[in-house]
Amino acid sequence: MPRIPAQPSPMAQPRSFVWTRRVVLTLLLIFVLVPVYVMLSSSLKNLQDVQGSFRWIPSGLTVKPYVDIWKTIPLAHYFMNSLIVSVSATLFSVAVAIFASYGVSRYRFPGRRLFTVTVLSTQMFPGILFLLPLYLIFVNIGNSTGITLNGSRLGLIITYLTFSLPFSIWMLVGYFDSIPRDLDEAAKVDGCGPMGALFRVVVPAAVPGIVAVCVYAFMTAWGEVLFASVMTNESTRTLAVGLREYATQNDVYWNQVMAASLVVSVPVVAGFLLLQRYLVAGLTAGAVK
Amino acid sequence: MTATAPPRSASEAGPDSGKSAGRGRLRPRIPQRLRNIALPYLLLLPALALELLIHIVPMVFGILISFKSLTLFYIRHWSSAPWAGFDNYKIAVKIHQPIGQALLHSFWVTIAFTVLSVGLSWLIGTAAAILMQDTFRGRALLRAIFLVPYALPVYAAVITWTFMFQQNTGLVNHVLHDQLHVTSDKPFWLIGGNSFWALVIVSVWKSWPFAFLALMAGLQNIPRELYEAAAMDGAGVWQQIRKITMPSLRPVNQVLVLVLFLWTFNDFNTPYVMFGQSAPHQADLISIHIYQSSFITWNFGSGSAMSVLLLLFLLLVTAVYLLITSRRRGDADA
């Protein structure tokens, strides 16, 4: 976190500025934290507390919701599915992005600009536009070749890894560009091929950027709802679909839902906050270009 | 996660990392020149293949099936579905017929939602980034807290908001009715007109941290000398913000506003987690609307036609936006 150099103001700040800052930031802090507080406090309430009128202070604290939720819905099962899908999508996405970014950053070739523009522009497509055709394609691939993509984790992994690809490539190209070319030239003089230069010089120097890309790719896959809701079945259901389904029922144990939401959020939020300076640095590197 | 890369590379690079003559002996057929030309394309190949499979081919395919009358009956052999010409499009744009009318309504709801959400997210993000440009006690902690909504999985955040908006057991009605006595009874937030505002609030809560993050990164690139020079000339903090900070952020803002617009306009997750498959009429966002008209009625042809119309609209908006903002930027530079 302290990586960002704070700028001491060249002149004393007037009171109006300091007060504006205090008031605005306090209001924002409340806005941001109220849902977090609701999630945390409700997850520790007993059932009566969440079935009556809302209470700021729980009448008693209990960890029972954290125990019960695993039985109310197959949470462990969803968790495993989400974990397998997200980790695989992240690893493949980062590997593919490293190769592509190296190509874009280190070589000048016809079609280079077309590639970057095409990949980035896929970001703006509405998901709903290619959801229907992709679903049909997956169903038909399954029918004609026997490779089940619809309803399988594999289909979801392939889909998710392309979601984080454009941003990952964009960010890594910025990172690779900032690594002096002389370094890989030196490695090539020492007898490394282009791949040797990539893995011995460029990748080790770009670790912060790669970490940031991993975080981003994992978050993207972990939180996706739309494609998961169409492309999974009972046995491959992810957390996003499973929790949403339970939470929109009529009779919901809100304390258990809040407990589950907290459990699925903690790994991502903790990882993000620990590594946020890499992500911010990566964003900055990308923005400089 | 990244630790796997270096060891693998070491073993991979092992055999051919010797003399280049040795490599030449291994692959004598391919001349060095050709290999040099092919290499960048090979590096891009996996990314390109995946983008083609998941994005480009389905998009072309989607345009194709928007001209077919593809119903549940034809799903397993879509190629035998009868051609429909422009029928799907005609139905979608007939604004006096029920289907066209509903689509147009959904379009306007989405426009209002997007303008409000993007405007507010940008405003809050800008204010927070500027107010936190200088050091003060607790700045790093505050920044970490502000990023929490961005880091939370969308569904976990939206489910929590759904709980807060419950009519009888939610926090919002407890505060408004029981504590502040603003409302005479407990209103519904997830059905009826209020659902639109509930959606806007959740969307702003989720998206402003991204604006904040991008703008903080943008602020890093403003040279300090600019502020020092302005301070020498006697410009106060507010003037510095107006004269230096805001103009310097313009390139970041150009991209940021566009990205926020596209994300918000296409947002499916928020309404889907909040309302399930049937969104209230007043909060019927376009992506939910298309999803419903495709997967509930299993009419993929007309769903695709609506998607294509949506894409055309987004392309148009993006092109016009880039044209206008780039020209203005050019003027400012000149």
Side-chain angles (χ1 to χ4, degrees), chain B:
Chain B
M1 289 176 253
T2 52
T4 53
R8 187 154 52 89
S9 72
S11 63
E12 228 173 51
D16 59 15
S17 64
K19 304 275 152 14
S20 54
R23 273 197 300 146
R25 208 161 5 98
L26 275 174
R27 277 175 270 172
R29 290 286 160 78
I30 311 158
Q32 187 68 34
R33 229 180 90 78
L34 191 67
R35 245 190 290 162
N36 281 348
I37 294 172
L39 186 67
Y41 294 104
L42 284 178
L43 286 167
L44 301 191
L45 190 65
L48 205 60
L50 284 162
E51 289 295 334
L52 276 175
L53 174 70
I54 306 296
H55 290 113
I56 313 289
V57 170
M59 202 178 71
V60 174
F61 189 50
I63 295 172
L64 196 72
I65 55 180
S66 70
F67 293 102
K68 289 203 162 212
S69 95
L70 190 62
T71 48
L72 182 58
F73 180 70
Y74 291 106
I75 279 187
R76 294 210 168 262
H77 20 79
W78 62 273
S79 48
S80 54
W83 289 97
F86 279 94
D87 283 0
N88 290 323
Y89 290 92
K90 281 186 199 142
I91 292 169
V93 295
K94 264 190 195 146
I95 51 170
H96 298 298
Q97 304 287 315
I99 292 176
Q101 208 174 17
L103 186 69
L104 189 68
H105 166 82
S106 163
F107 176 74
W108 288 122
V109 168
T110 315
I111 294 271
F113 165 76
T114 309
V115 169
L116 275 170
S117 171
V118 172
L120 285 171
S121 301
W122 178 83
L123 198 67
I124 297 175
T126 307
I130 289 177
L131 290 172
M132 289 174 72
Q133 194 178 6
D134 301 323
T135 32
F136 56 88
R137 214 145 38 91
R139 176 172 171 270
L141 176 70
L142 206 56
R143 206 182 66 208
I145 294 175
F146 282 173
L147 293 180
V148 166
Y150 177 67
L152 275 176
V154 178
Y155 55 93
V158 179
I159 285 174
T160 307
W161 276 100
T162 313
F163 174 48
M164 289 164 65
F165 280 125
Q166 293 293 311
Q167 196 227 350
N168 274 319
T169 57
L171 170 140
V172 174
N173 276 346
H174 176 64
V175 170
L176 289 182
H177 178 74
D178 303 345
Q179 294 188 310
L180 298 175
H181 306 287
V182 187
T183 52
S184 52
D185 51 3
K186 293 185 167 183
F188 285 100
W189 287 97
L190 299 174
I191 33 178
N194 285 339
S195 57
F196 177 78
W197 298 106
L199 202 58
V200 171
I201 292 171
V202 178
S203 170
V204 171
W205 187 85
K206 265 184 339 98
S207 2
W208 83 266
F210 179 77
F212 172 68
L213 194 67
L215 289 164
M216 289 275 278
L219 287 177
Q220 301 294 308
N221 299 328
I222 305 177
R224 268 199 61 196
E225 294 79 49
L226 281 182
Y227 291 102
E228 278 159 12
M232 294 254 235
D233 291 346
V237 170
W238 298 112
Q239 250 185 322
Q240 289 178 16
I241 292 174
R242 218 155 37 100
K243 295 274 166 61
I244 300 172
T245 314
M246 292 314 286
S248 311
L249 285 178
R250 193 171 276 167
V252 178
N253 275 328
Q254 188 198 10
V255 180
L256 174 68
V257 170
L258 181 64
V259 166
L260 279 179
F261 170 82
L262 292 172
W263 281 350
T264 313
F265 202 93
N266 295 329
D267 190 10
F268 174 88
N269 295 341
T270 314
Y272 184 64
V273 177
M274 267 176 98
F275 308 120
Q277 299 196 335
S278 52
H281 184 64
Q282 293 88 342
D284 189 21
L285 295 192
I286 195 108
S287 42
I288 282 276
H289 187 84
I290 296 177
Y291 178 87
Q292 254 180 310
S293 32
S294 318
F295 280 96
I296 306 289
T297 60
W298 291 97
N299 192 340
F300 280 20
S302 93
S304 296
M306 292 178 189
S307 304
V308 172
L309 290 174
L310 174 63
L311 179 73
L312 288 178
F313 171 74
L314 292 177
L315 279 177
L316 186 74
V317 171
T318 307
V320 171
Y321 174 86
L322 287 178
L323 213 65
I324 292 174
T325 52
S326 301
R327 186 181 300 162
R328 212 186 288 154
R329 241 173 100 184
D331 289 350
D333 292 344

Side-chain angles (χ1 to χ4, degrees), chain A residues 70 94-95 126 183:
Chain A
W70 304 89
V94 172
L183 284 181

Side-chain angles (χ1 to χ4, degrees), chain A residues 7 15 20 27 67 102 127 172 186 209 235 239 274 286:
Chain A
Q7 300 181 342
R15 291 193 89 126
T20 314
L27 288 176
V67 179
Y102 184 64
L172 281 183
S235 69
L239 280 171
L274 279 175

